[in-house]
Amino acid sequence: MLEAIIFDMDGVLIDSEYSYFEAKDSILKDEGIIVPSSYHSKFMGTSYLYTWETMKKELGLTQSADTYIKEMINRREEIIKRDGIKPIKGAQDLIKRLKSAGAKLAVASSSPLTEIEKSLTEIGIYTDFSIITSGEEVEHSKPAPDVYLLAAKRLGVKPKNCIAIEDSPNGSIAVKKANMVGIGFANPDYPTLNLVSDVVVNTFSNLDYAKCRAIYQQFAK
């Protein structure tokens, strides 16, 4: 029985991945390092700490991960001031449709809690979610299932009775490890990523609670 639908935020509700790429690229450029955009894609869905600790090892960065994280946050804030917080096309309408249908909704994001709250409030859907969980609150980042399992626990539902919607390979693996039915969102505005979701969609316009129930019934174990 489908009891809840859990959303990742970055790349699913908020069109924010480009701002992370731009902020990180500018920091790396200051260090004399240039990487292809595909390099950043492997960190989608993971925590800030995991991202920068890994980049330090792989790229030979000399400062602390915390220093780079603070600088990335500052530069992203400037990008957001310039561009505003952009919702994913159709995401707001999808949330409102699901909420009106009586769906129990949650967010399981690797982003800091304050950033989740600010972003969802800005696009007018924060109060539509029963539960918000952040990667800050769990020990292991995606692709580990921790943040999804915490969301299910707080909702008071079994993980196997949930659908989770993700846009990144790491996130889709986390959903699978959490034993949830996965819907992958392949944004047509970005390069195709290797998602291990049960179903992959490239628009939210045709998705509603009835469709979610049908997907759940097809793939639930």
Side-chain angles (χ1 to χ4, degrees):
M1 175 182 176
L2 178 60
E3 294 186 275
I5 302 174
I6 305 175
F7 287 79
D8 175 41
M9 184 182 74
D10 294 296
V12 173
L13 300 173
I14 305 295
D15 187 3
S16 56
E17 300 298 357
Y18 81 95
S19 64
Y20 285 109
F21 286 21
E22 184 176 332
K24 287 189 288 182
D25 272 337
S26 67
I27 293 171
L28 294 178
K29 186 177 180 180
D30 290 346
E31 300 271 358
I33 298 170
I34 297 175
V35 297
S37 59
S38 58
Y39 178 77
H40 297 304
S41 296
K42 70 179 181 178
F43 298 112
M44 290 171 63
T46 64
S47 68
Y48 293 176
L49 186 60
Y50 172 84
T51 295
W52 283 102
E53 285 185 339
T54 304
M55 289 172 67
K56 272 176 58 66
K57 293 175 185 176
E58 293 181 350
L59 302 177
L61 302 175
T62 57
Q63 299 186 64
S64 70
D66 285 342
T67 297
Y68 289 116
I69 289 169
K70 290 175 183 177
E71 184 60 26
M72 181 187 70
I73 290 171
N74 289 337
R75 296 192 189 198
R76 276 199 74 236
E77 286 178 353
E78 292 303 313
I79 294 168
I80 291 170
K81 285 179 184 178
R82 181 192 73 198
D83 298 340
I85 294 176
K86 302 177 181 180
I88 291 291
K89 296 172 186 176
Q92 294 153 301
D93 289 341
L94 172 60
I95 296 302
K96 299 300 182 184
R97 288 198 301 274
L98 295 175
K99 185 71 172 180
S100 295
K104 188 179 290 187
L105 305 176
V107 169
S109 171
S110 295
S111 293
L113 187 59
T114 54
E115 194 166 307
I116 299 170
E117 292 172 342
K118 178 182 178 181
S119 296
L120 298 183
T121 299
E122 182 74 17
I123 65 169
I125 59 175
Y126 176 71
T127 57
D128 293 317
F129 295 96
S130 302
I131 292 294
I132 303 290
T133 55
S134 163
E136 293 179 320
E137 302 176 283
V138 296
E139 183 177 359
H140 300 109
S141 176
K142 300 173 186 177
D146 299 28
V147 72
Y148 279 106
L149 296 176
L150 179 60
K153 181 179 179 180
R154 288 179 174 173
L155 286 166
V157 302
K158 295 179 180 179
K160 69 177 183 177
N161 293 339
C162 298
I163 277 178
I165 302 180
E166 270 284 357
D167 72 310
S168 71
N170 287 314
S172 66
I173 293 169
V175 171
K176 190 71 71 174
K177 288 182 177 179
N179 197 30
M180 297 178 179
V181 173
I183 295 178
F185 175 60
N187 192 327
D189 295 331
Y190 290 97
T192 301
L193 300 175
N194 184 26
L195 304 177
V196 298
S197 307
D198 296 297
V199 171
V200 177
V201 301
N202 59 16
T203 178
F204 288 141
S205 61
N206 299 322
L207 200 60
D208 56 21
Y209 196 38
K211 184 73 174 294
C212 287
R213 283 201 308 265
I215 291 171
Y216 176 82
Q217 290 167 1
Q218 182 178 357
F219 293 99
K221 297 176 182 178

